[in-house]
Amino acid sequence: MLKLTYVSHSAFILNDGENTLVIDPFFTGNPTATMSADEVKPDWIILTHAHGDHLGDGLSLAKQHGSTVIAVNELANYVASNGCSAHNMHIGGAYNFPFGRVKFTIAHHGSSTHDGQYMGEPAGVIITMGGRTIYHTGDTGLFLDMKLIGELNRIDVMLAPIGGNFTMDIDDAVQATKFVNPDIVMPIHYNTFPVIQADPNEFKAKIECIGKKCKVMNYGETIVFD
Ligand code: NI
Ligand code: MN
């Protein structure tokens, strides 16, 4: 069983009945979030990169709840230097955690703190938990290696940015979905800020045109996979 809750932007809460994992916990200052950071008690936090709209409340949540933050080496060291528990990984590496398996993938983007400290490479992440495999691409442009990710992994749910400007737009995300070939794709990283406006229903229509399934999640919505 896997419960998947969409906070908004790139933030998700995963729960398998025992473990709560939050990806890119951007609650405070997130204009589209309908939940606050107080409503989540993560055991684990996965960060795709250090930008403020992804690191979000990561440090304060980790301190408050003793969560372990999983991130690439440079960002994990930064998290640890702020007094939080961290598990250092890097791109191409996978590890079996008590809740499931995490593998970091490439993402074409940047990763620094708000004051410009280098935080290593940005990443995407493939998480197997509660019997499902989720590919959160992180912030990225389109890249051909997504084809390899799709060939080597049976992806149940792909979480793909569609907002453009900083990441893939709708058409690039449609191409990415063709490459990865997931069961379902869900649009993320759109309509949070003025420069990333995109119509998720246009994305859904284009995905259905290529014979794939798309689910547009509402802010705060939860889906349960049995
Ligand atoms: Ni970013
Ligand atoms: Mn972002």
Side-chain angles (χ1 to χ4, degrees), residues 98-109:
F99 62 84
R101 186 170 194 263
V102 174
K103 182 168 190 175
F104 277 92
T105 69
I106 59 169
H108 290 302
H109 194 63

Side-chain angles (χ1 to χ4, degrees), residues 6-8 30 32-36 39 219-221:
Y6 185 41
V7 176
S8 89
N30 179 342
T32 54
T34 58
M35 308 173 61
S36 75
E39 293 172 67
Y219 305 136
E221 182 179 356

Side-chain angles (χ1 to χ4, degrees), residues 161-208:
I162 64 163
N165 192 71
F166 301 111
T167 67
M168 298 189 284
D169 60 10
I170 287 175
D171 290 331
D172 283 353
V174 170
Q175 185 61 56
T177 306
K178 281 190 205 168
F179 286 159
V180 174
N181 194 31
D183 269 8
I184 307 172
V185 63
M186 298 178 179
I188 62 171
H189 213 275
Y190 65 95
N191 292 354
T192 326
F193 309 115
V195 294
I196 56 169
Q197 296 300 309
D199 178 2
N201 291 315
E202 179 192 337
F203 177 63
K204 184 178 163 73
K206 287 182 169 173
I207 289 296
E208 285 167 356

Side-chain angles (χ1 to χ4, degrees), residues 148-159:
L148 186 62
I149 290 171
E151 278 169 21
L152 298 180
N153 302 273
R154 214 190 63 74
I155 304 295
D156 294 299
V157 181
M158 176 178 177
L159 309 172

Side-chain angles (χ1 to χ4, degrees), residues 132-149:
R132 291 293 189 284
T133 298
I134 313 288
Y135 172 34
H136 189 305
T137 69
D139 279 3
T140 187
L142 177 64
F143 57 91
L144 186 59
D145 281 10
M146 284 180 174
K147 221 171 170 169
L148 186 62
I149 290 171

